[in-house]
Amino acid sequence: MVHWSAEEKQLITSVWAKVNVEECGAEALARLLIVYPWTQRFFSDFGNLSSPTAIIGNPKVRAHGKKVLTSFGEAIKNLDNLKGTYSKLSELHCDKLHVDPENFRLLGDILVIVLAAHFTKDFTPACQATWQKLVGLVAHALARKYH
Amino acid sequence: MVLSAADKSNVKGVFAKIGGQAEEYGADALERMFVTYPQTKTYFPHFDLGKGSAQVKGHGKKVAAALVEAVNNIDDLAGALSKLSDLHAQKLRVDPVNFKLLGQCFLVVVATRNPSLLTPEVHASLDKFLCAVGTVLTAKYR
């Protein structure tokens, strides 16, 4: 059972309140595909991913980034039940999408960097620690139903 | 993993911009690493790891200097970091997984202090560079 302190919950919700889910999601997914190009293997039907510019401008990348981060928002509303929140998505990523869970960890790290760039000095060490904990737990929840 | 000419240029650009603040970046990265990944503190039982610790600042300065040296010799990282590589293999024996953790924290520091510098392309190059440094430092482990 995951424990969240009052301070951690505060750091999560206060940051999230200021996040533009569409922009942040698009940026995080684009950076994942640029920084770790092998992750493009899951998106062969996304069209032009031939350069960073193409990736950033790709409407399917933007849309999918928004979808992924919207789901993150659900997790934040259910911090005490991440396993339940991601149960179906975990099955989907294993059985249908065949995504190596390592990719969830990579995206989590990228998301932390995107948030850091957005919040700059307000992204304190405590804030970073809390968010790394959150992305780690989300990655874990998404991997939980793998078999 | 090979650093392209563009990667080298991007990394040199970052460190040119950071300039004399590299020491602060190093200390900030270490502080964040200890807070975010508490298991990394196990390598520093002899340090005061409290906020503002002079020892952490001093060590951050050392780490930053090593990175700057690596950047200045980016065409021969193995050569530039050879002594440090020996040190990590024979004496320090920091588990390889930890270099990735410090790398992540360094990227976060660049992001918080200089967000406009960290374009996706530069982010990719810097991540590659930090991975390459970690690889060199652990190359002689066995």
Side-chain angles (χ1 to χ4, degrees), chain A:
Chain A
M1 177 65 193
V2 180
H3 175 74
W4 296 101
S5 71
E7 192 203 353
E8 285 172 329
K9 288 190 177 183
Q10 225 285 314
L11 286 169
I12 291 170
T13 53
S14 64
V15 162
W16 193 249
K18 297 176 199 148
V19 166
N20 178 318
V21 170
E22 180 165 358
E23 286 305 319
C24 186
E27 175 153 11
L29 187 62
R31 281 182 186 254
L32 179 75
L33 299 172
I34 293 165
V35 178
Y36 307 115
W38 56 92
T39 58
Q40 293 170 25
R41 70 189 298 283
F42 301 108
F43 302 103
S44 51
D45 62 338
F46 268 30
N48 188 3
L49 298 178
S50 60
S51 70
T53 312
I55 292 169
I56 292 163
N58 186 310
K60 286 190 174 179
V61 171
R62 288 192 70 86
H64 196 68
K66 180 182 175 184
K67 199 183 196 181
V68 169
L69 214 64
T70 301
S71 153
F72 216 84
E74 280 310 299
I76 290 175
K77 290 186 204 153
N78 293 282
L79 287 174
D80 295 324
N81 184 22
L82 291 175
K83 288 176 191 168
T85 304
Y86 279 112
S87 181
K88 287 255 169 327
L89 274 175
S90 181
E91 287 170 7
L92 178 77
H93 281 77
C94 174
D95 301 331
K96 293 266 161 21
L97 305 177
H98 311 294
V99 176
D100 178 348
E102 179 59 22
N103 292 285
F104 310 140
R105 290 180 260 285
L106 291 179
L107 183 59
D109 278 353
I110 295 261
L111 179 61
V112 166
I113 290 168
V114 169
L115 292 174
H118 187 77
F119 289 94
T120 62
K121 57 177 170 36
D122 290 339
F123 202 67
T124 60
C127 201
Q128 178 187 351
T130 302
W131 275 84
Q132 293 278 183
K133 177 179 170 179
L134 176 59
V135 300
L137 288 168
V138 167
H140 185 75
L142 273 170
R144 203 163 162 271
K145 287 300 190 73
Y146 273 57
H147 58 98

